[in-house]
């Protein structure tokens, strides 16, 4: 199993105090803290290697390029993609989904064709498609959820019609924590020849992802939610699909030959990587992946599952608590409200006790509408969290509740 005390030593920020109280950081679904090894790797690269990648013949450029491409290989192995050509670096999940929305809709869809998302999606997996709906007349449909926070999978067949050209679904909901049965969804979609994009923003930090086993056509995740730096993320795409899609942005790095008459594009994955990439962040992300692997993905998953179970169990003793998301398969996220205390008040008062939780709609307003609420308080866990921190959270909630 995993040695949390030892892990916590790798994250100095966890030792700090806020308002004179020890920090209890439970906002990991928004972003995780970074271990020293990631910060050191990035500092070392800026200090001793820094040069633009791919274009230079000089030593530093080649060394930076080697680190950048080694990071791509690390990501490939991490999600078990077949080829490094299938790994496109983006700024994050949001950019990865926007890339697919833009290039897929441009080349594979016409007005009236449908994209199927779900009622529990993050705005990135809604608005990216709505922009295409406005621009190209495609239609965005959504699969409903049950009151427990599960997808209404029994209905999915009625949503998968000959007009459906793509399914785009969160692996894990950032509000409900529900782990969606993406393999089943992919199988059902593939039986009808429909490709599937998986938003893995909330799963890649917590569980082993195997894109070949899952058989998804696209998969997106963000480095900053898995102990890596901000501003870097990944789009995985099956080679056959990436070959079919046109570039997302134009600029340097992504071209083969440019003339006034005609421009041809670089091979994969560079066709989708216009401009100077954040090559220091890719190295940071690779270092974060190595760190996660050194702890063990299975250990991380087991620890966080236990924290989630413990948190729900302890919170059940809080009078008038309401949970949002009680799926049997749930991960690292607990959303709740207490009586009629406004989520913002609860979050703000917890903050004064040193407890960092998220409040609000969590960029999932259609889900909030479905639940009939304006927002929730959300505690979310990472490998460095402890049961003691959950006890502090529960005591904090009880204290705030007494004040109301
Ligand atoms: N959710 C949260 O606190 P970016 O911002 O591109 O790194 O990730 C976007 C995103 C996409 N899908 C899901 C399921 C997500 O949870 C997120 C980010 C954060 O829940 C910020 S709102």
């Amino acid at each position: 199993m995993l040695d949390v005390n030892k892990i916590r030593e790798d994250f100095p920020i966890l030792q700090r105090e806020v308002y004179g109280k020890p920090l209890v950081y439970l906002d990991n679904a928004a972003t995780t803290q970074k271990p020293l090894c990631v910060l050191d790797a990035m500092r070392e690269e800026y200090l001793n290697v820094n040069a633009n990648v791919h274009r230079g013949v000089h030593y530093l450029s080649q060394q930076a390029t080697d680190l950048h491409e080694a990071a791509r290989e690390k990501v490939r192995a991490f999600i078990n993609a077949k080829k490094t050509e299938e790994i496109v670096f983006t700024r994050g999940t949001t950019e990865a989904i926007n890339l697919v929305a833009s290039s897929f809709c441009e080349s594979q869809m016409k007005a009236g064709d449908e994209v199927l998302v779900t009622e529990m999606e993050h705005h990135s997996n809604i608005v990216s498609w709505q922009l295409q709906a406005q621009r190209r007349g495609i239609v965005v449909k959504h699969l409903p959820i049950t009151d427990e926070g599960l997808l209404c999978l029994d209905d999915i067949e009625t949503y998968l019609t000959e007009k459906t050209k793509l399914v785009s679904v969160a692996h894990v909901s950032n509000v409900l924590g529900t782990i969606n049965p993406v393999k089943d969804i992919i199988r059902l979609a593939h039986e009808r020849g429909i490709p599937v994009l998986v938003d893995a923003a909330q799963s890649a930090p917590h569980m082993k992802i195997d894109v070949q086993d899952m058989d998804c056509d696209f998969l997106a995740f963000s480095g900053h939610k898995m102990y890596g730096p901000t501003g870097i993320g990944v789009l995985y795409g099956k080679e056959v699909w990436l070959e079919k899609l046109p570039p997302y942005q134009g600029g340097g790095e992504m071209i083969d030959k440019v003339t006034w008459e005609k421009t041809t594009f670089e091979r994969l994955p560079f066709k989708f990587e216009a401009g100077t990439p954040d090559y220091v962040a890719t190295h940071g992300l690779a270092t974060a992946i190595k760190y996660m692997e050194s702890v063990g993905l299975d250990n991380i998953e087991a620890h966080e599952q236990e924290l989630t179970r413990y948190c729900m169990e302890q919170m059940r003793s809080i009078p008038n608590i309401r949970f949002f998301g009680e799926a049997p398969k749930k991960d690292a996220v607990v959303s709740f409200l207490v009586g009629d205390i406004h989520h913002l008040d609860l979050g703000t008062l917890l903050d004064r006790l040193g407890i960092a939780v998220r409040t609000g709609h969590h960029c999932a307003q259609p889900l909030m509408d479905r639940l009939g609420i304006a927002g929730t308080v959300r505690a979310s866990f990472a490998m460095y969290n402890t049961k003691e921190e959950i006890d502090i959270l529960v005591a904090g909630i009880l204290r705030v509740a007494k004040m109301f």
Side-chain angles (χ1 to χ4, degrees), residues 29-30 92-94 122 124 174 199 201-202 222 224-225 358 363 378:
T93 307
T94 303
H122 184 276
S124 334
N174 67 321
D199 172 352
Q202 298 294 350
S222 301
H224 70 96
K225 293 186 195 291
R358 198 70 157 186
C363 298
R378 182 188 71 183

Side-chain angles (χ1 to χ4, degrees), residues 268-330:
L268 291 177
F270 307 110
K271 178 172 90 171
F272 293 108
E273 294 180 350
T276 300
D278 195 341
Y279 51 85
V280 177
T282 56
H283 180 45
L285 173 59
T287 310
I289 291 174
K290 278 184 212 154
Y291 183 79
M292 288 173 75
E293 288 173 345
S294 74
V295 177
L297 267 296
D298 290 345
N299 292 336
I300 294 173
E301 186 176 358
H303 175 68
E304 292 169 345
Q305 287 278 339
E306 177 55 16
L307 289 179
T308 310
R309 188 203 60 74
Y310 182 76
C311 183
M312 303 267 298
E313 182 189 276
Q314 295 304 305
M315 279 190 176
R316 280 188 208 283
S317 63
I318 298 170
N320 301 320
I321 189 143
R322 273 191 295 160
F323 290 112
F324 299 92
E326 297 207 59
K329 284 192 165 178
K330 180 177 162 74

Side-chain angles (χ1 to χ4, degrees), residues 41 45 67 135 140 161 163 223 233 237 255 283 289 327 340 344 354 373 375 378-379 381 384:
E45 185 167 4
L67 286 174
R135 289 171 194 166
V140 186
T161 69
K163 286 194 172 168
I255 54 90
H283 180 45
I289 291 174
D340 52 12
L344 202 57
I373 53 175
R378 182 188 71 183
F381 311 117
Y384 42 64

Side-chain angles (χ1 to χ4, degrees), residues 80-376:
N80 193 32
K82 266 192 200 142
K83 299 180 170 183
T84 49
E85 285 82 347
E86 297 177 320
I87 305 300
V88 177
F89 286 122
T90 64
R91 283 190 301 124
T93 307
T94 303
E95 191 178 50
I97 297 175
N98 274 274
L99 188 165
V100 177
S102 169
S103 294
F104 191 92
C105 294
E106 180 188 332
S107 61
Q108 311 294 318
M109 294 181 76
K110 56 181 188 322
D113 283 347
E114 295 171 4
V115 169
L116 179 64
V117 299
T118 83
E119 212 170 13
M120 65 169 83
E121 297 307 317
H122 184 276
H123 292 164
S124 334
N125 201 20
I126 299 174
V127 184
S128 316
W129 305 106
Q130 285 178 334
L131 289 176
Q132 298 304 320
Q134 285 165 10
R135 289 171 194 166
R136 300 180 205 282
I138 67 151
V139 178
V140 186
K141 295 236 158 139
H142 62 268
L143 189 66
I145 60 164
T146 66
D147 291 340
E148 249 190 322
L150 293 166
L151 290 179
C152 295
L153 265 197
D154 292 347
D155 296 347
I156 193 168
E157 318 226 353
T158 58
Y159 283 84
L160 296 174
T161 69
E162 72 283 356
K163 286 194 172 168
T164 316
K165 294 294 180 286
L166 190 85
V167 174
S168 192
V169 58
H171 193 181
V172 172
S173 158
N174 67 321
V175 177
L176 308 167
T178 310
I179 304 175
N180 287 320
V182 283
K183 266 181 93 167
D184 294 340
I185 295 170
I186 291 166
R187 185 178 41 75
L188 288 166
H190 282 180
E191 279 168 15
R192 293 156 179 81
I194 304 165
V196 179
L197 184 158
V198 174
D199 172 352
Q202 298 294 350
S203 58
H206 306 292
M207 60 187 76
K208 179 81 194 119
I209 302 279
D210 184 330
V211 290
Q212 291 191 65
D213 178 55
M214 204 187 269
D215 201 23
C216 55
D217 301 277
F218 303 99
L219 181 127
F221 59 94
S222 301
H224 70 96
K225 293 186 195 291
M226 41 187 280
Y227 314 101
T230 47
I232 194 72
V234 173
L235 170 67
Y236 157 81
K238 276 186 186 160
E239 189 179 19
V240 290
W241 278 115
L242 292 182
E243 287 291 4
K244 279 186 207 171
L245 303 191
Y248 174 51
Q249 294 180 329
E253 294 267 326
M254 51 76 77
I255 54 90
D256 167 38
K257 174 122 183 81
V258 179
T259 65
W260 289 120
E261 291 72 37
K262 182 177 161 53
T263 290
T264 51
F265 304 115
E266 254 287 24
R267 66 200 149 87
L268 291 177
F270 307 110
K271 178 172 90 171
F272 293 108
E273 294 180 350
T276 300
D278 195 341
Y279 51 85
V280 177
T282 56
H283 180 45
L285 173 59
T287 310
I289 291 174
K290 278 184 212 154
Y291 183 79
M292 288 173 75
E293 288 173 345
S294 74
V295 177
L297 267 296
D298 290 345
N299 292 336
I300 294 173
E301 186 176 358
H303 175 68
E304 292 169 345
Q305 287 278 339
E306 177 55 16
L307 289 179
T308 310
R309 188 203 60 74
Y310 182 76
C311 183
M312 303 267 298
E313 182 189 276
Q314 295 304 305
M315 279 190 176
R316 280 188 208 283
S317 63
I318 298 170
N320 301 320
I321 189 143
R322 273 191 295 160
F323 290 112
F324 299 92
E326 297 207 59
K329 284 192 165 178
K330 180 177 162 74
D331 198 30
V333 167
V334 177
S335 281
F336 59 93
L337 287 172
V338 180
D340 52 12
I341 306 174
H342 194 276
H343 55 84
L344 202 57
D345 292 336
L346 184 48
T348 308
L349 291 166
L350 288 174
D351 175 53
R352 303 302 293 195
L353 301 173
I355 305 164
V357 289
R358 198 70 157 186
T359 62
H361 55 64
H362 314 295
C363 298
Q365 283 179 343
L367 174 59
M368 295 299 128
D369 290 344
R370 164 66 177 85
L371 300 171
I373 53 175
T376 75

